[in-house]
Amino acid sequence: MNRLHTLNPMQQEAVLHTEGPLLILAGAGSGKTRALTHRVAYLIEEKGVAPWNILAITFTNKAAGEMRERVNGLVEYGADSVWVSTFHSLCVRILRRFIENLGYDSSFSIYDTDDQKTLMKQIFKNMDVNTKQYKERGVLGIISAAKNELIGPEEFAMNARIDGSLRDQKIAELYREYQTQLKKNNALDFDDLLVKTVELFDNNPEILDYYQEKFKYIMVDEYQDTNTAQFKLVSQLAKKYGNICVVGDDDQSIYSFRGANIHNILNFEETFPGARVIKLEQNYRSTRTILNAANGVIRNNSGRKEKTLWTENPEGSRVRV
């Protein structure tokens, strides 16, 4: 693959390390998408991996589209068979095929925020909830946070009974009713797409085995933003072959407020023993002055993996505060 010379030494290492767990710590502007797409091309062209045995997961449709475009530009044949997908669209495809194993119909609806609010409003009315004390949006936020941690209605209710307030106990009732009504309507919300796929795999080893065989090589972008449900899903899929490559930067983790679990990236080597760690520290985007300032600030953070961004770019203007 003569394209490797266009990559820097650490990007090349990330491309060439194809077997076993790999954590790529990619600093801002360090060309991680370039490394990932070349890795896909290398697997297909040099290692002879069937494109349909590769799964690349990103967080947004835009990022997935960009990655697919770049892979298409690199690989002459079969690039369109690589599964480039967001977490949610991956789960939708799996559930459309197998959700009947969980007692739903395969033509299930997916509720957006407005649908959820409408349903919760109806539940409030039916259960005579005091709307001065409880707000639909607030309750839905708590339910969403529970689902991100794979805490179902029963476990939530048990936790509320043991050490929760009366408010928590009330929310537990609302959570249970909300799930009952969703099922009655043959509907899932966005969080359920992940939760139900994990549940499907837990309860049906043969279905999990089918997808483990399908996705022998798995890549996950923006790994620092994954929540517990996403982490569990990826771990299930990667368990058989262990060829999991995650790319992320703990210094860019800003989504804990919506369930991102920073420990997924910090504890990667514990979760996947024998994992290789490669740091992409050369920055192509910023001036030296900006990087020095950023490095000076971020090195004071506790609980981070050590890395220092550098660049061959010019010095640049001084930072003004």
Side-chain angles (χ1 to χ4, degrees), residues 136-176:
E136 293 112 358
R137 205 166 142 196
V139 171
L140 285 166
I142 291 166
I143 290 172
S144 177
K147 288 183 181 183
N148 284 338
E149 292 298 320
L150 294 173
I151 296 169
E154 302 312 317
E155 190 184 342
F156 191 96
M158 190 172 70
N159 295 343
R161 276 196 304 274
I162 294 167
D163 54 11
S165 61
L166 285 171
R167 182 181 177 79
D168 290 336
Q169 290 171 32
K170 185 66 182 174
I171 291 169
E173 286 174 39
L174 292 166
Y175 184 5
R176 188 184 288 117

mmCIF file of all heavy atoms in Angstrom, residues 136-176:
data_model
loop_
_atom_site.group_PDB
_atom_site.id
_atom_site.type_symbol
_atom_site.label_atom_id
_atom_site.label_comp_id
_atom_site.label_asym_id
_atom_site.label_seq_id
_atom_site.Cartn_x
_atom_site.Cartn_y
_atom_site.Cartn_z
ATOM 1 N N GLU A 136 -42.247 17.353 32.724
ATOM 2 C CA GLU A 136 -42.028 16.237 31.786
ATOM 3 C C GLU A 136 -40.559 16.151 31.350
ATOM 4 O O GLU A 136 -39.960 15.080 31.341
ATOM 5 C CB GLU A 136 -42.883 16.405 30.510
ATOM 6 C CG GLU A 136 -44.371 16.282 30.736
ATOM 7 C CD GLU A 136 -45.085 17.607 30.534
ATOM 8 O OE1 GLU A 136 -44.411 18.618 30.257
ATOM 9 O OE2 GLU A 136 -46.325 17.626 30.676
ATOM 10 N N ARG A 137 -40.017 17.314 31.003
ATOM 11 C CA ARG A 137 -38.642 17.324 30.486
ATOM 12 C C ARG A 137 -37.642 16.820 31.528
ATOM 13 O O ARG A 137 -36.718 16.057 31.213
ATOM 14 C CB ARG A 137 -38.291 18.754 30.058
ATOM 15 C CG ARG A 137 -37.218 18.800 28.996
ATOM 16 C CD ARG A 137 -37.160 20.171 28.367
ATOM 17 N NE ARG A 137 -35.753 20.503 28.122
ATOM 18 C CZ ARG A 137 -35.332 21.711 27.863
ATOM 19 N NH1 ARG A 137 -36.176 22.705 27.831
ATOM 20 N NH2 ARG A 137 -34.060 21.940 27.630
ATOM 21 N N GLY A 138 -37.846 17.237 32.767
ATOM 22 C CA GLY A 138 -36.957 16.825 33.851
ATOM 23 C C GLY A 138 -37.015 15.331 34.090
ATOM 24 O O GLY A 138 -35.973 14.660 34.246
ATOM 25 N N VAL A 139 -38.228 14.786 34.104
ATOM 26 C CA VAL A 139 -38.405 13.344 34.334
ATOM 27 C C VAL A 139 -37.795 12.545 33.170
ATOM 28 O O VAL A 139 -37.093 11.554 33.384
ATOM 29 C CB VAL A 139 -39.904 12.991 34.521
ATOM 30 C CG1 VAL A 139 -40.119 11.480 34.541
ATOM 31 C CG2 VAL A 139 -40.444 13.618 35.801
ATOM 32 N N LEU A 140 -38.037 13.019 31.949
ATOM 33 C CA LEU A 140 -37.473 12.334 30.774
ATOM 34 C C LEU A 140 -35.943 12.373 30.796
ATOM 35 O O LEU A 140 -35.287 11.411 30.391
ATOM 36 C CB LEU A 140 -37.996 12.974 29.479
ATOM 37 C CG LEU A 140 -39.448 12.620 29.117
ATOM 38 C CD1 LEU A 140 -39.970 13.546 28.029
ATOM 39 C CD2 LEU A 140 -39.575 11.161 28.668
ATOM 40 N N GLY A 141 -35.379 13.468 31.307
ATOM 41 C CA GLY A 141 -33.920 13.583 31.430
ATOM 42 C C GLY A 141 -33.352 12.553 32.394
ATOM 43 O O GLY A 141 -32.316 11.931 32.131
ATOM 44 N N ILE A 142 -34.064 12.344 33.513
ATOM 45 C CA ILE A 142 -33.617 11.354 34.516
ATOM 46 C C ILE A 142 -33.734 9.938 33.947
ATOM 47 O O ILE A 142 -32.840 9.099 34.139
ATOM 48 C CB ILE A 142 -34.437 11.511 35.822
ATOM 49 C CG1 ILE A 142 -34.055 12.836 36.495
ATOM 50 C CG2 ILE A 142 -34.205 10.336 36.770
ATOM 51 C CD1 ILE A 142 -34.994 13.285 37.597
ATOM 52 N N ILE A 143 -34.823 9.675 33.214
ATOM 53 C CA ILE A 143 -35.010 8.354 32.590
ATOM 54 C C ILE A 143 -33.910 8.105 31.554
ATOM 55 O O ILE A 143 -33.327 7.018 31.488
ATOM 56 C CB ILE A 143 -36.413 8.257 31.933
ATOM 57 C CG1 ILE A 143 -37.496 8.220 33.022
ATOM 58 C CG2 ILE A 143 -36.521 7.030 31.020
ATOM 59 C CD1 ILE A 143 -38.916 8.329 32.500
ATOM 60 N N SER A 144 -33.596 9.132 30.774
ATOM 61 C CA SER A 144 -32.552 9.014 29.754
ATOM 62 C C SER A 144 -31.198 8.701 30.400
ATOM 63 O O SER A 144 -30.454 7.827 29.932
ATOM 64 C CB SER A 144 -32.460 10.311 28.941
ATOM 65 O OG SER A 144 -31.410 10.235 28.007
ATOM 66 N N ALA A 145 -30.891 9.404 31.490
ATOM 67 C CA ALA A 145 -29.615 9.167 32.199
ATOM 68 C C ALA A 145 -29.551 7.736 32.721
ATOM 69 O O ALA A 145 -28.498 7.085 32.674
ATOM 70 C CB ALA A 145 -29.471 10.161 33.345
ATOM 71 N N ALA A 146 -30.691 7.224 33.212
ATOM 72 C CA ALA A 146 -30.741 5.838 33.710
ATOM 73 C C ALA A 146 -30.485 4.859 32.562
ATOM 74 O O ALA A 146 -29.714 3.900 32.700
ATOM 75 C CB ALA A 146 -32.097 5.557 34.353
ATOM 76 N N LYS A 147 -31.125 5.109 31.418
ATOM 77 C CA LYS A 147 -30.944 4.213 30.266
ATOM 78 C C LYS A 147 -29.497 4.230 29.769
ATOM 79 O O LYS A 147 -28.969 3.195 29.366
ATOM 80 C CB LYS A 147 -31.903 4.610 29.135
ATOM 81 C CG LYS A 147 -33.359 4.263 29.436
ATOM 82 C CD LYS A 147 -34.253 4.608 28.262
ATOM 83 C CE LYS A 147 -35.705 4.284 28.573
ATOM 84 N NZ LYS A 147 -36.597 4.545 27.429
ATOM 85 N N ASN A 148 -28.866 5.412 29.793
ATOM 86 C CA ASN A 148 -27.456 5.500 29.391
ATOM 87 C C ASN A 148 -26.578 4.584 30.242
ATOM 88 O O ASN A 148 -25.549 4.089 29.789
ATOM 89 C CB ASN A 148 -26.934 6.938 29.529
ATOM 90 C CG ASN A 148 -27.424 7.838 28.415
ATOM 91 O OD1 ASN A 148 -27.793 7.372 27.341
ATOM 92 N ND2 ASN A 148 -27.438 9.134 28.653
ATOM 93 N N GLU A 149 -26.988 4.393 31.500
ATOM 94 C CA GLU A 149 -26.246 3.519 32.423
ATOM 95 C C GLU A 149 -26.800 2.094 32.440
ATOM 96 O O GLU A 149 -26.428 1.288 33.278
ATOM 97 C CB GLU A 149 -26.295 4.110 33.844
ATOM 98 C CG GLU A 149 -25.518 5.408 34.008
ATOM 99 C CD GLU A 149 -24.025 5.239 33.749
ATOM 100 O OE1 GLU A 149 -23.470 4.211 34.167
ATOM 101 O OE2 GLU A 149 -23.429 6.121 33.114
ATOM 102 N N LEU A 150 -27.731 1.818 31.504
ATOM 103 C CA LEU A 150 -28.370 0.492 31.407
ATOM 104 C C LEU A 150 -29.151 0.129 32.672
ATOM 105 O O LEU A 150 -29.197 -1.033 33.082
ATOM 106 C CB LEU A 150 -27.344 -0.598 31.078
ATOM 107 C CG LEU A 150 -26.695 -0.496 29.694
ATOM 108 C CD1 LEU A 150 -25.564 -1.529 29.552
ATOM 109 C CD2 LEU A 150 -27.718 -0.707 28.577
ATOM 110 N N ILE A 151 -29.738 1.135 33.300
ATOM 111 C CA ILE A 151 -30.586 0.905 34.478
ATOM 112 C C ILE A 151 -32.048 0.917 34.016
ATOM 113 O O ILE A 151 -32.564 1.956 33.599
ATOM 114 C CB ILE A 151 -30.340 1.982 35.555
ATOM 115 C CG1 ILE A 151 -28.898 1.898 36.071
ATOM 116 C CG2 ILE A 151 -31.334 1.838 36.704
ATOM 117 C CD1 ILE A 151 -28.463 3.075 36.934
ATOM 118 N N GLY A 152 -32.683 -0.246 34.072
ATOM 119 C CA GLY A 152 -34.075 -0.363 33.647
ATOM 120 C C GLY A 152 -35.035 0.062 34.754
ATOM 121 O O GLY A 152 -34.615 0.368 35.872
ATOM 122 N N PRO A 153 -36.350 0.073 34.465
ATOM 123 C CA PRO A 153 -37.354 0.522 35.447
ATOM 124 C C PRO A 153 -37.312 -0.242 36.767
ATOM 125 O O PRO A 153 -37.457 0.349 37.836
ATOM 126 C CB PRO A 153 -38.691 0.296 34.738
ATOM 127 C CG PRO A 153 -38.366 0.191 33.295
ATOM 128 C CD PRO A 153 -36.967 -0.313 33.192
ATOM 129 N N GLU A 154 -37.091 -1.562 36.701
ATOM 130 C CA GLU A 154 -37.103 -2.374 37.932
ATOM 131 C C GLU A 154 -35.922 -2.016 38.831
ATOM 132 O O GLU A 154 -36.065 -1.831 40.038
ATOM 133 C CB GLU A 154 -37.075 -3.882 37.602
ATOM 134 C CG GLU A 154 -38.218 -4.365 36.719
ATOM 135 C CD GLU A 154 -39.588 -3.870 37.180
ATOM 136 O OE1 GLU A 154 -39.857 -3.892 38.404
ATOM 137 O OE2 GLU A 154 -40.385 -3.436 36.314
ATOM 138 N N GLU A 155 -34.732 -1.933 38.222
ATOM 139 C CA GLU A 155 -33.540 -1.590 38.999
ATOM 140 C C GLU A 155 -33.643 -0.167 39.554
ATOM 141 O O GLU A 155 -33.273 0.106 40.698
ATOM 142 C CB GLU A 155 -32.281 -1.719 38.128
ATOM 143 C CG GLU A 155 -30.992 -1.617 38.932
ATOM 144 C CD GLU A 155 -29.733 -1.657 38.081
ATOM 145 O OE1 GLU A 155 -29.795 -2.094 36.908
ATOM 146 O OE2 GLU A 155 -28.677 -1.243 38.598
ATOM 147 N N PHE A 156 -34.186 0.728 38.740
ATOM 148 C CA PHE A 156 -34.362 2.120 39.167
ATOM 149 C C PHE A 156 -35.289 2.173 40.390
ATOM 150 O O PHE A 156 -35.013 2.864 41.377
ATOM 151 C CB PHE A 156 -34.950 2.956 38.022
ATOM 152 C CG PHE A 156 -34.937 4.442 38.266
ATOM 153 C CD1 PHE A 156 -33.912 5.238 37.768
ATOM 154 C CD2 PHE A 156 -35.955 5.055 38.993
ATOM 155 C CE1 PHE A 156 -33.892 6.615 37.999
ATOM 156 C CE2 PHE A 156 -35.946 6.425 39.229
ATOM 157 C CZ PHE A 156 -34.909 7.199 38.732
ATOM 158 N N ALA A 157 -36.388 1.404 40.325
ATOM 159 C CA ALA A 157 -37.359 1.374 41.428
ATOM 160 C C ALA A 157 -36.733 0.782 42.694
ATOM 161 O O ALA A 157 -36.948 1.283 43.805
ATOM 162 C CB ALA A 157 -38.578 0.558 41.016
ATOM 163 N N MET A 158 -35.909 -0.251 42.510
ATOM 164 C CA MET A 158 -35.259 -0.885 43.652
ATOM 165 C C MET A 158 -34.283 0.100 44.319
ATOM 166 O O MET A 158 -34.268 0.248 45.542
ATOM 167 C CB MET A 158 -34.504 -2.132 43.187
ATOM 168 C CG MET A 158 -33.993 -3.006 44.325
ATOM 169 S SD MET A 158 -33.324 -4.549 43.686
ATOM 170 C CE MET A 158 -31.846 -3.953 42.872
ATOM 171 N N ASN A 159 -33.488 0.809 43.492
ATOM 172 C CA ASN A 159 -32.565 1.814 44.030
ATOM 173 C C ASN A 159 -33.311 2.913 44.775
ATOM 174 O O ASN A 159 -32.878 3.376 45.828
ATOM 175 C CB ASN A 159 -31.730 2.447 42.905
ATOM 176 C CG ASN A 159 -30.799 1.443 42.250
ATOM 177 O OD1 ASN A 159 -30.534 0.380 42.801
ATOM 178 N ND2 ASN A 159 -30.300 1.770 41.072
ATOM 179 N N ALA A 160 -34.466 3.305 44.216
ATOM 180 C CA ALA A 160 -35.265 4.373 44.831
ATOM 181 C C ALA A 160 -35.830 3.916 46.180
ATOM 182 O O ALA A 160 -35.897 4.695 47.134
ATOM 183 C CB ALA A 160 -36.394 4.782 43.896
ATOM 184 N N ARG A 161 -36.200 2.633 46.252
ATOM 185 C CA ARG A 161 -36.743 2.095 47.517
ATOM 186 C C ARG A 161 -35.661 2.033 48.588
ATOM 187 O O ARG A 161 -35.890 2.321 49.748
ATOM 188 C CB ARG A 161 -37.336 0.694 47.290
ATOM 189 C CG ARG A 161 -38.768 0.698 46.779
ATOM 190 C CD ARG A 161 -39.431 -0.658 46.946
ATOM 191 N NE ARG A 161 -38.701 -1.740 46.299
ATOM 192 C CZ ARG A 161 -38.847 -2.077 45.016
ATOM 193 N NH1 ARG A 161 -39.682 -1.404 44.252
ATOM 194 N NH2 ARG A 161 -38.160 -3.079 44.509
ATOM 195 N N ILE A 162 -34.447 1.630 48.166
ATOM 196 C CA ILE A 162 -33.368 1.423 49.143
ATOM 197 C C ILE A 162 -32.843 2.746 49.682
ATOM 198 O O ILE A 162 -32.775 2.969 50.877
ATOM 199 C CB ILE A 162 -32.223 0.588 48.521
ATOM 200 C CG1 ILE A 162 -32.722 -0.829 48.213
ATOM 201 C CG2 ILE A 162 -31.002 0.529 49.445
ATOM 202 C CD1 ILE A 162 -31.797 -1.645 47.327
ATOM 203 N N ASP A 163 -32.433 3.642 48.774
ATOM 204 C CA ASP A 163 -31.825 4.875 49.303
ATOM 205 C C ASP A 163 -32.267 6.131 48.556
ATOM 206 O O ASP A 163 -31.536 7.110 48.483
ATOM 207 C CB ASP A 163 -30.282 4.777 49.314
ATOM 208 C CG ASP A 163 -29.711 4.400 47.951
ATOM 209 O OD1 ASP A 163 -30.478 4.430 46.963
ATOM 210 O OD2 ASP A 163 -28.525 4.082 47.874
ATOM 211 N N GLY A 164 -33.453 6.094 47.973
ATOM 212 C CA GLY A 164 -33.947 7.262 47.242
ATOM 213 C C GLY A 164 -34.998 8.022 48.032
ATOM 214 O O GLY A 164 -35.512 7.553 49.043
ATOM 215 N N SER A 165 -35.317 9.195 47.551
ATOM 216 C CA SER A 165 -36.344 10.030 48.172
ATOM 217 C C SER A 165 -37.711 9.608 47.632
ATOM 218 O O SER A 165 -37.827 8.782 46.733
ATOM 219 C CB SER A 165 -36.080 11.492 47.815
ATOM 220 O OG SER A 165 -36.137 11.648 46.397
ATOM 221 N N LEU A 166 -38.756 10.204 48.189
ATOM 222 C CA LEU A 166 -40.112 9.970 47.675
ATOM 223 C C LEU A 166 -40.206 10.419 46.228
ATOM 224 O O LEU A 166 -40.923 9.819 45.422
ATOM 225 C CB LEU A 166 -41.143 10.733 48.529
ATOM 226 C CG LEU A 166 -41.431 10.127 49.899
ATOM 227 C CD1 LEU A 166 -42.287 11.072 50.730
ATOM 228 C CD2 LEU A 166 -42.155 8.782 49.751
ATOM 229 N N ARG A 167 -39.471 11.479 45.912
ATOM 230 C CA ARG A 167 -39.448 11.981 44.536
ATOM 231 C C ARG A 167 -38.900 10.907 43.581
ATOM 232 O O ARG A 167 -39.469 10.646 42.525
ATOM 233 C CB ARG A 167 -38.591 13.247 44.478
ATOM 234 C CG ARG A 167 -38.533 13.897 43.107
ATOM 235 C CD ARG A 167 -37.652 15.146 43.109
ATOM 236 N NE ARG A 167 -37.569 15.707 41.768
ATOM 237 C CZ ARG A 167 -38.516 16.438 41.221
ATOM 238 N NH1 ARG A 167 -39.614 16.729 41.888
ATOM 239 N NH2 ARG A 167 -38.376 16.910 39.993
ATOM 240 N N ASP A 168 -37.782 10.273 43.995
ATOM 241 C CA ASP A 168 -37.186 9.202 43.178
ATOM 242 C C ASP A 168 -38.181 8.049 42.992
ATOM 243 O O ASP A 168 -38.260 7.452 41.915
ATOM 244 C CB ASP A 168 -35.911 8.660 43.831
ATOM 245 C CG ASP A 168 -34.770 9.669 43.789
ATOM 246 O OD1 ASP A 168 -34.793 10.540 42.906
ATOM 247 O OD2 ASP A 168 -33.872 9.587 44.650
ATOM 248 N N GLN A 169 -38.904 7.749 44.048
ATOM 249 C CA GLN A 169 -39.883 6.650 43.970
ATOM 250 C C GLN A 169 -41.003 6.980 42.992
ATOM 251 O O GLN A 169 -41.490 6.116 42.263
ATOM 252 C CB GLN A 169 -40.417 6.334 45.367
ATOM 253 C CG GLN A 169 -39.357 5.666 46.249
ATOM 254 C CD GLN A 169 -39.782 5.538 47.703
ATOM 255 O OE1 GLN A 169 -40.956 5.385 47.999
ATOM 256 N NE2 GLN A 169 -38.809 5.619 48.612
ATOM 257 N N LYS A 170 -41.393 8.255 42.990
ATOM 258 C CA LYS A 170 -42.435 8.697 42.054
ATOM 259 C C LYS A 170 -41.916 8.602 40.615
ATOM 260 O O LYS A 170 -42.623 8.135 39.713
ATOM 261 C CB LYS A 170 -42.850 10.140 42.376
ATOM 262 C CG LYS A 170 -44.023 10.652 41.541
ATOM 263 C CD LYS A 170 -45.293 9.879 41.884
ATOM 264 C CE LYS A 170 -46.470 10.314 41.049
ATOM 265 N NZ LYS A 170 -47.653 9.449 41.304
ATOM 266 N N ILE A 171 -40.659 9.042 40.423
ATOM 267 C CA ILE A 171 -40.072 8.981 39.073
ATOM 268 C C ILE A 171 -39.939 7.526 38.614
ATOM 269 O O ILE A 171 -40.142 7.215 37.445
ATOM 270 C CB ILE A 171 -38.710 9.734 39.029
ATOM 271 C CG1 ILE A 171 -38.963 11.237 39.194
ATOM 272 C CG2 ILE A 171 -37.973 9.464 37.717
ATOM 273 C CD1 ILE A 171 -37.736 12.084 39.437
ATOM 274 N N ALA A 172 -39.657 6.634 39.561
ATOM 275 C CA ALA A 172 -39.580 5.197 39.234
ATOM 276 C C ALA A 172 -40.920 4.699 38.687
ATOM 277 O O ALA A 172 -40.971 3.935 37.711
ATOM 278 C CB ALA A 172 -39.179 4.400 40.475
ATOM 279 N N GLU A 173 -42.030 5.151 39.304
ATOM 280 C CA GLU A 173 -43.369 4.770 38.814
ATOM 281 C C GLU A 173 -43.605 5.305 37.401
ATOM 282 O O GLU A 173 -44.130 4.617 36.535
ATOM 283 C CB GLU A 173 -44.452 5.343 39.742
ATOM 284 C CG GLU A 173 -44.592 4.650 41.085
ATOM 285 C CD GLU A 173 -45.596 5.401 41.970
ATOM 286 O OE1 GLU A 173 -46.636 5.872 41.437
ATOM 287 O OE2 GLU A 173 -45.339 5.538 43.181
ATOM 288 N N LEU A 174 -43.178 6.563 37.199
ATOM 289 C CA LEU A 174 -43.363 7.191 35.884
ATOM 290 C C LEU A 174 -42.509 6.478 34.825
ATOM 291 O O LEU A 174 -42.955 6.275 33.691
ATOM 292 C CB LEU A 174 -42.988 8.676 35.955
ATOM 293 C CG LEU A 174 -43.921 9.551 36.809
ATOM 294 C CD1 LEU A 174 -43.294 10.910 37.105
ATOM 295 C CD2 LEU A 174 -45.275 9.738 36.110
ATOM 296 N N TYR A 175 -41.301 6.100 35.209
ATOM 297 C CA TYR A 175 -40.396 5.377 34.301
ATOM 298 C C TYR A 175 -41.029 4.053 33.879
ATOM 299 O O TYR A 175 -41.074 3.711 32.690
ATOM 300 C CB TYR A 175 -39.055 5.160 35.019
ATOM 301 C CG TYR A 175 -37.941 4.515 34.215
ATOM 302 C CD1 TYR A 175 -38.063 4.214 32.860
ATOM 303 C CD2 TYR A 175 -36.726 4.191 34.844
ATOM 304 C CE1 TYR A 175 -37.017 3.625 32.145
ATOM 305 C CE2 TYR A 175 -35.668 3.608 34.137
ATOM 306 C CZ TYR A 175 -35.829 3.322 32.788
ATOM 307 O OH TYR A 175 -34.790 2.742 32.092
ATOM 308 N N ARG A 176 -41.561 3.312 34.875
ATOM 309 C CA ARG A 176 -42.174 2.020 34.564
ATOM 310 C C ARG A 176 -43.361 2.188 33.608
ATOM 311 O O ARG A 176 -43.493 1.458 32.619
ATOM 312 C CB ARG A 176 -42.628 1.327 35.854
ATOM 313 C CG ARG A 176 -43.087 -0.110 35.607
ATOM 314 C CD ARG A 176 -43.641 -0.784 36.844
ATOM 315 N NE ARG A 176 -42.596 -1.111 37.804
ATOM 316 C CZ ARG A 176 -42.524 -0.586 39.031
ATOM 317 N NH1 ARG A 176 -43.422 0.301 39.432
ATOM 318 N NH2 ARG A 176 -41.565 -0.939 39.849
#
